[in-house]
Amino acid sequence: MKEKYVDIGILTFQCSNNYGAMLQAYALKTHLCNKHRKAELVPYDPPYMTGRHWWVPYVPFRITKSVKWSIINTLGGFALHMKMGKDFSMQRANMKRFRKKYLIGKRQRRVLYGNGLKRLLYRYYIVGSDQIWNPDITGGLRKAYFGAFESRNKEKVIAYAASLGGKDLAPQYDRKFRELIQHIEAISVREEAAIPYVKRFYEGDVVAVLDPVFFLDRESWKKVEKIPKKRGYIFVYITEGNQQLVDYARKLSRETGLPVIEARTGGVGTNAGFTVDFTAGPSEFLGYVHKADYVVTNSFHATAFSIIYQKKFVVFTHSNRGARLENIIKVHGLENRLCRNGEDADIDINIDWDVVKEKTKEATRRSNDFLMKHIPESDESREY
């Protein structure tokens, strides 16, 4: 029996052991399938992305810009993983379980290097969402995340909610960005502030859309979450050290009498003596946000799910990736949730969630229109 074609291949960070990366990948794939588009995540697992999650981490020179720092990161990462011990193994298992159950199909074969993309059969490629155009993460701008590779079946490349990490890139990337962006037929970005930069190098329309996690509602996310046994806590998740955030969480804990639980992947954490879960995967992360009394974070996706789950939350700005946080807050009219320059937001101020839901609904409608405009419904008759 012949297999049916899958028309759409999504190139994103599904291989990264990161909560937001995996959850946005799941959301985009699920939304397209719900809209009768035959889509799957391309199992592109390059070592420059997956290597940082190995027991002995592989941190390429192109990311650290220094042999010395590559060695230091490798040795430091290995020491951290050994210290975590069983917890590190459990977290890897939770990540693998989620990926196997929700992201990558059994018949799909891993693609480790760019040359392997040439053999794939997809007609359409969606590059994004997440920070696929952030050279600090990928060690330079990578052809794969622009669809800049030869394939006899490829008809169109669409960028959906692609992110630079900020509003622009350093000047040394301009020439390469100009070259690679020409391989894309339709472009949308996640941060509105990035549009002027992209339009410097691209003649077509560039629009801002929502991160795909907003395509799925709270009830949909409840189907993949894992509820924690603990109740009555403040949830903290950070992507960059921030002493003001730590002080805020401690103060809130004293005032409410609630303990602080922190989820952590890799070496970034508060180191503040909070109860830390080193084992949580994406499902556990969702559960922690859902059942928290309060959420304190500087993470984009912890902010996104605080909105989806309608939590009491505050967001602290990120030193070099603040544009994405400010954008998501602005889109939902929640500017009073943002802590800037040491100013504390009142986490107990009531939020009119009906108004927020309408803003989400309108933004997701525009985002969905962009996707559906550029990808027709799948032809069910096509076979391998």
Side-chain angles (χ1 to χ4, degrees):
M1 180 178 178
K2 293 184 177 180
E3 292 186 83
K4 297 291 185 180
Y5 263 112
V6 175
D7 288 317
I8 306 163
I10 304 168
L11 278 163
T12 187
F13 290 162
Q14 94 298 325
C15 62
S16 178
N17 285 354
N18 174 280
Y19 305 135
M22 297 173 73
L23 292 169
Q24 63 82 22
Y26 167 78
L28 184 54
K29 171 189 171 183
T30 302
H31 177 68
L32 286 166
C33 292
N34 288 343
K35 293 295 181 178
H36 309 292
R37 271 64 175 176
K38 297 179 69 175
E40 64 186 15
L41 294 157
V42 179
Y44 179 51
D45 299 354
Y48 64 81
M49 290 299 298
T50 60
R52 64 197 74 186
H53 308 302
W54 299 345
W55 271 98
V56 180
Y58 166 60
V59 187
F61 169 77
R62 285 181 65 178
I63 291 178
T64 64
K65 307 294 193 300
S66 163
V67 174
K68 175 183 176 182
W69 280 108
S70 289
I71 295 172
I72 289 174
N73 275 272
T74 293
L75 294 177
F78 177 61
L80 173 64
H81 297 164
M82 290 299 291
K83 182 179 179 180
M84 292 170 63
K86 184 179 179 181
D87 284 347
F88 182 65
S89 293
M90 290 179 64
Q91 185 171 77
R92 279 165 53 97
N94 284 330
M95 297 287 187
K96 182 178 180 180
R97 187 177 301 111
F98 186 92
R99 190 173 287 113
K100 183 177 179 180
K101 184 173 182 179
Y102 297 113
L103 301 185
I104 303 299
K106 292 181 180 179
R107 68 171 181 82
Q108 293 181 269
R109 294 184 178 181
R110 296 174 69 197
V111 178
L112 299 180
Y113 302 101
N115 284 339
L117 298 172
K118 298 177 182 179
R119 299 190 297 270
L120 301 180
L121 300 174
Y122 307 110
R123 297 169 60 201
Y124 305 101
Y125 285 87
I126 297 178
V127 293
S129 153
D130 222 332
Q131 298 178 65
I132 57 168
W133 297 343
N134 183 347
D136 293 338
I137 290 178
T138 54
L141 298 174
R142 302 284 183 164
K143 292 181 179 180
Y145 298 119
F146 290 81
F149 52 86
E150 295 299 323
S151 171
R152 62 184 177 87
N153 298 289
K154 183 176 65 173
E155 296 179 14
K156 191 174 187 179
V157 179
I158 302 102
Y160 182 80
S163 176
L164 309 170
K167 64 180 182 179
D168 54 22
L169 298 179
Q172 69 259 32
Y173 296 111
D174 287 355
R175 183 177 178 180
K176 188 70 172 179
F177 189 79
R178 181 190 299 275
E179 173 192 330
L180 292 174
I181 204 75
Q182 307 312 317
H183 291 267
I184 303 175
E185 282 76 22
I187 297 179
S188 64
V189 294
R190 196 173 64 184
E191 288 80 39
E192 187 172 358
I195 291 178
Y197 178 80
V198 177
K199 286 184 72 66
R200 282 175 53 194
F201 310 104
Y202 186 77
E203 294 182 356
D205 291 335
V206 181
V207 300
V209 295
L210 277 185
D211 186 283
V213 298
F214 288 101
F215 281 135
L216 306 184
D217 61 18
R218 180 169 48 180
E219 294 305 310
S220 298
W221 285 114
K222 287 163 97 173
K223 295 176 183 178
V224 299
E225 70 183 9
K226 185 174 181 180
I227 298 299
K229 295 179 180 179
K230 298 181 178 66
R231 292 292 187 275
Y233 59 89
I234 300 161
F235 181 59
V236 167
Y237 178 61
I238 71 169
T239 56
E240 177 188 55
N242 186 313
Q243 188 58 47
Q244 293 174 347
L245 184 154
V246 170
D247 293 341
Y248 187 96
R250 282 175 170 160
K251 180 182 177 183
L252 183 62
S253 180
R254 289 196 302 270
E255 292 175 347
T256 61
L258 296 172
V260 178
I261 296 178
E262 177 184 354
R264 185 168 170 179
T265 59
V268 180
T270 64
N271 299 318
F274 301 146
T275 298
V276 181
D277 187 345
F278 288 101
T279 70
S283 294
E284 290 79 9
F285 171 80
L286 288 174
Y288 275 129
V289 175
H290 184 186
K291 294 302 179 180
D293 289 67
Y294 299 96
V295 178
V296 180
T297 188
N298 59 9
S299 155
F300 176 90
H301 282 103
T303 301
F305 285 106
S306 293
I307 295 170
I308 291 169
Y309 282 117
Q310 300 185 1
K311 308 307 298 183
K312 292 183 177 181
F313 74 101
V314 294
V315 183
F316 284 75
T317 54
H318 196 285
S319 64
N320 62 354
R321 299 175 189 168
R324 57 190 186 140
L325 284 169
E326 293 184 15
N327 183 76
I328 189 177
I329 289 295
K330 180 181 177 181
V331 166
H332 291 90
L334 293 168
E335 287 87 349
N336 62 359
R337 303 290 90 198
L338 190 63
C339 295
R340 293 190 184 94
N341 303 320
E343 299 174 0
D344 286 353
D346 184 350
I347 201 167
D348 282 312
I349 289 179
N350 287 331
I351 297 172
D352 189 334
W353 288 111
D354 288 335
V355 172
V356 174
K357 283 176 67 176
E358 284 303 310
K359 290 180 180 294
T360 303
K361 183 178 179 180
E362 175 59 23
T364 53
R365 182 192 64 77
R366 294 194 303 269
S367 301
N368 177 70
D369 287 348
F370 171 84
L371 270 178
M372 299 303 109
K373 175 183 177 181
H374 294 289
I375 302 177
E377 286 195 35
S378 298
D379 182 355
E380 297 294 333
S381 66
R382 297 184 74 217
E383 295 180 336
Y384 285 112

